[in-house]
Amino acid sequence: MIAYLIGLIIVGLIVGALARLIVPGPDPIGLGMTILIGIGGSFIAGILVRALHGTNEAGFILSVLCAAGLVYATRRSRGPGVGTPVVRPVTVRRRYRRW
């Protein structure tokens, strides 16, 4: 059981790291979230393959693509958008005349 959990963490880390490399831009997530995104991507890929094909074999590439979708969703939920630069409001200085 412990070996299964360690293997799950390692596969989640690899899948999550590859998914973070696929989606360009800054990453607001840490190592633990990367592992969870990798595990979630593998889980979603397994559900999709099971529903569409009827087998229980999810491919590694599909797992990485599903995890990339989760990375994109995480970035969209935490920031202004992927590829959108952060624009700070410009303060306008007005000169007032003293009477």
Side-chain angles (χ1 to χ4, degrees), residues 6-22 31 34-39 42 60 63-64 67:
I6 291 172
L8 190 65
I9 290 171
I10 291 172
V11 169
L13 179 62
I14 293 169
V15 169
L18 289 175
R20 284 177 65 179
L21 287 175
I22 288 175
L31 184 65
T34 302
I35 292 171
L36 290 177
I37 284 177
I39 293 171
S42 296
F60 184 74
S63 297
V64 172

